């Protein structure tokens, strides 16, 4: 992986990390998008798609309502794609997904810390905010964005360092049974998580539509 | 205020950075204040030392929480009633009354509808061989709805003012709510078998059976032990166990 690619991945990770909550929430933080673009940057779209699909299924379990805490899959997906690419793509899918899940949890913790720091900043500026000072309001807000960008950068950089380390340590040389077994296990766990997340989203009255969709999907599998 | 052209464009752009200062103290409140501020500049006294302006800005930055795409409705409505001279206590009540409905509506419409519907369609598209085009289509179509919803919300809030709850009964919004749930269930349901087959490549016969077995055990674990097993924990346990099995296998 060249230095330019690494910088491009880091920049992409910052954009992805900031998109999740701060701005503009256009869903580039979804693993599908984050992974595919990371794959494009690495010249390996197939690996980006594969890692993206697996982690997207895990993302289905997340419903970002209120102050709920959740893993952050965007920057984690980028690092996972970089690792899988270093492991010659598809064979490294399971190991990369595992590392991606760890990083996603770490990203979630960093979001919690950011929100705590933001709350402290708001408390400190409370008097000016209560006085309706627009400059303080803008400063507090812009500070939040800056902190989120730094946070996303740190998470992505850590992930990319793990990916580089994994590649250097010869993760690609792991025995084939390990690579196959971990890939299938990651896929199975992703399906379980996505399925359970889906059941949470689907209202009881829409269960017949879910059943009809499953039947249609099975029909397409049979036809294709 | 009727007859004055509000700077809705500036407020609209600021809605995209609404959550930059999300925090456990006021949640999205600071961002609400930032988005509302351009709409308050015409208040008596203006942004200089205008007491009405400063009081309105302070009110706008209080605690708030709702779906980010629909917060514009509250921004527009509260800015409007500030101009109409509604008493502060009443404005605060209006703001507080919008938190529940805007959160619930946005969650059902976007987080549990539009987003998984299109993500499911993208997954199906990838599984059927559309590749990155499916991802690009997801991003494009999703954001047409996203941007349109944010713009509609701000304009509807400004137009409706204190009657903002009436805007929530808009037929297009209600129709979308009725359609998006079944559509999402159908599309994601159809995507799952396709994704299973896609993930099982290059050895579909064996891999599908193992994938489904792991998925079944995983589903059981997630449903029966939700405190012990979250998605990431399940994934990590599965990958570690598989690595061990793989190492012993050889």
């Amino acid at each position: 992986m060249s230095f330019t690619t690494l910088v491009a991945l880091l920049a992409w990770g910052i954009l992805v990390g900031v998109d999740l909550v701060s701005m503009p929430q256009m869903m580039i933080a979804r693993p599908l998008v984050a992974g595919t673009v990371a794959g494009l940057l690495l010249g390996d779209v197939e690996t980006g798609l594969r890692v993206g699909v697996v982690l997207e299924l895990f993302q289905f379990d997340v419903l970002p309502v209120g102050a709920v805490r959740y893993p952050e899959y965007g920057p984690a997906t980028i690092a996972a794609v970089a690792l899988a690419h270093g492991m010659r793509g598809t064979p490294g899918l399971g190991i990369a997904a595992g590392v991606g899940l760890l990083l996603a949890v770490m990203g979630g913790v960093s979001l919690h810390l950011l929100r705590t720091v933001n709350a402290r900043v708001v408390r400190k500026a409370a008097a000016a905010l209560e006085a309706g000072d627009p400059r303080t309001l803008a400063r507090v807000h812009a500070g939040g964005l800056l902190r989120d960008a730094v946070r996303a950068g740190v998470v992505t950089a850590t992930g990319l360092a793990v990916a580089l380390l994994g590649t250097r340590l010869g993760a690609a040389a792991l025995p084939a049974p390990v690579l196959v077994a971990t890939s299938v296990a990651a896929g199975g766990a992703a399906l379980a998580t996505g399925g359970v997340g889906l059941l949470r989203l689907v209202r009881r009255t829409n269960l017949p539509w879910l059943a009809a969709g499953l039947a249609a999907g099975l029909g397409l599998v049979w036809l294709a | 205020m009727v007859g004055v052209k509000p700077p809705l464009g500036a407020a609209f752009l600021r809605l995209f950075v609404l959550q930059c200062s999300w925090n456990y103290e006021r949640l999205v409140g600071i961002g609400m204040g930032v988005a509302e501020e351009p709409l308050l500049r015409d208040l008596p006294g203006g942004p200089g030392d205008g007491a009405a302006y400063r009081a309105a800005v302070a009110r706008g930055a209080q605690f708030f929480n709702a779906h980010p795409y629909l917060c514009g409705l509250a921004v527009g409505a509260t800015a409007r009633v500030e101009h109409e001279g509604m008493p502060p206590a009443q404005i605060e009540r209006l703001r507080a009354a919008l938190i529940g409905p805007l959160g619930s509506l946005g969650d059902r419409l976007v987080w549990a509808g539009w987003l998984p519907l299109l993500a499911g369609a993208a997954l199906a598209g990838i599984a059927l061989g559309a590749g990155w085009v499916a991802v690009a289509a997801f991003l494009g179509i999703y954001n047409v709805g996203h941007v349109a919803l944010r713009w509609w919300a701000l304009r509807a809030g400004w137009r409706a003012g204190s009657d903002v709850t009436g805007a929530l009964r808009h037929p297009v919004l209600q129709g979308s709510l009725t359609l998006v749930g079944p559509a999402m269930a159908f599309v994601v349901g159809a995507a799952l078998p396709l994704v299973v087959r896609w993930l099982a490549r290059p050895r579909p016969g064996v891999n599908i059976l193992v994938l489904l077995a792991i998925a079944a055990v995983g589903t059981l674990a997630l449903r029966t032990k939700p405190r012990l097993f979250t998605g990431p924990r399940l994934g990590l346990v599965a990958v570690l166990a598989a690595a061990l099995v793989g190492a012993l296998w050889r």
Side-chain angles (χ1 to χ4, degrees):
Chain A
M1 196 188 311
S2 72
F3 179 73
T4 316
T5 309
L6 208 58
V7 171
L9 287 172
L10 180 63
W12 176 236
I14 293 171
L15 290 176
V16 161
V18 163
D19 179 68
L20 181 67
V21 177
S22 288
M23 66 167 244
Q25 289 203 299
M26 61 184 291
M27 297 304 140
I28 57 172
R30 294 296 288 199
L32 261 187
V33 183
T36 305
V37 175
L40 276 168
L41 291 171
L42 287 159
D44 187 359
V45 181
E46 177 68 17
T47 298
L49 282 169
R50 287 211 161 254
V51 174
V53 165
V54 168
L55 293 178
E56 181 71 30
L57 288 167
F58 280 102
Q59 173 88 63
F60 256 81
D61 196 35
V62 175
L63 197 59
V65 293
V68 70
R69 287 165 65 173
Y70 44 80
E72 187 198 27
Y73 287 107
T77 304
I78 295 169
V81 172
L83 177 58
H85 174 70
M87 297 174 72
R88 284 178 257 123
T90 308
L93 177 69
I95 300 290
V99 169
L101 289 171
L102 263 179
L103 291 167
V105 172
M106 192 187 105
V109 172
S110 76
L111 271 174
H112 168 64
L113 291 175
L114 171 73
R115 291 169 172 188
T116 309
V117 172
N118 282 348
R120 206 173 297 156
V121 172
V122 168
R123 269 198 297 275
K124 272 190 182 168
L129 291 170
E130 292 304 322
D133 178 11
R135 282 187 188 165
T136 305
L137 190 65
R139 184 174 51 77
V140 169
H141 202 55
L145 176 60
L146 188 66
R147 281 186 289 277
D148 195 18
V150 170
R151 180 202 65 79
V154 170
V155 173
T156 310
T158 308
L160 290 173
V162 170
L164 281 176
L165 191 67
T167 309
R168 291 262 166 88
L169 289 176
L174 283 169
V178 171
L179 296 177
V180 172
T182 50
S183 293
V184 175
L191 283 168
T193 308
V196 170
L198 176 64
L199 285 175
R200 207 173 293 148
L201 294 179
V202 175
R203 293 179 157 221
R204 195 175 287 270
T205 51
N206 291 329
L207 285 176
W209 287 103
L210 178 63
L214 282 167
L218 286 169
L220 280 171
V221 167
W222 184 67
L223 282 173
Chain B
M1 185 55 202
V2 180
V4 175
K5 195 179 174 196
L8 287 181
F12 175 63
L13 289 178
R14 289 183 181 204
L15 283 173
F16 286 93
V17 295
L18 187 82
Q19 299 200 115
C20 286
S21 53
W22 205 105
N23 62 86
Y24 292 123
E25 193 87 359
R26 302 187 184 201
L27 277 69
V28 77
I30 300 291
M32 289 289 285
V34 169
E36 192 179 351
E37 192 273 334
L39 299 175
L40 303 172
R41 290 178 190 166
D42 290 332
L43 285 170
D49 288 325
Y53 164 82
R54 283 184 169 254
V57 168
R59 268 193 295 280
Q62 292 297 330
F63 172 91
F64 195 81
N65 189 37
H67 192 281
Y69 296 179
L70 287 172
C71 281
L73 227 116
V75 166
T78 49
R80 179 70 183 234
V81 296
E82 291 282 4
H83 283 91
E84 289 172 351
M86 184 184 268
Q90 219 172 317
I91 295 173
E92 281 162 17
R93 276 203 298 277
L94 172 69
R95 222 166 164 270
L98 285 171
I99 290 175
L102 292 186
S104 158
L105 179 70
D107 292 345
R108 280 168 59 205
L109 190 64
V110 183
W111 292 161
W114 186 237
L115 177 58
L117 163 68
L118 293 177
L123 287 174
I126 292 167
L128 289 169
W132 66 267
V133 176
V135 179
F138 159 74
L139 206 56
I141 298 168
Y142 177 84
N143 281 299
V144 168
H146 161 206
V147 175
L149 184 61
R150 282 205 203 246
W151 179 238
W152 170 83
L154 180 64
R155 276 171 57 100
W158 176 262
R159 279 191 194 149
S162 57
D163 187 31
V164 64
T165 47
L168 295 175
R169 291 192 292 272
H170 193 286
V172 173
L173 204 58
Q174 292 303 319
S176 304
L177 263 183
T178 313
L179 286 175
V180 79
M184 184 276 287
F186 183 85
V187 169
V188 184
L192 281 179
L194 293 167
V195 170
V196 170
R197 192 194 56 168
W198 189 75
L199 283 174
R201 283 190 322 186
R203 284 176 290 181
V206 179
N207 285 0
I208 282 182
L209 288 176
V210 183
L211 261 177
L212 291 177
I214 295 171
V217 174
T219 304
L220 199 67
L222 289 169
R223 298 283 282 186
T224 55
K225 303 274 182 203
R227 284 176 189 273
L228 186 62
F229 284 107
T230 59
R233 278 186 202 163
L234 175 74
L236 285 168
V237 168
V239 168
L240 286 172
L244 194 64
V245 170
L248 293 174
W249 191 271
R250 72 191 182 106

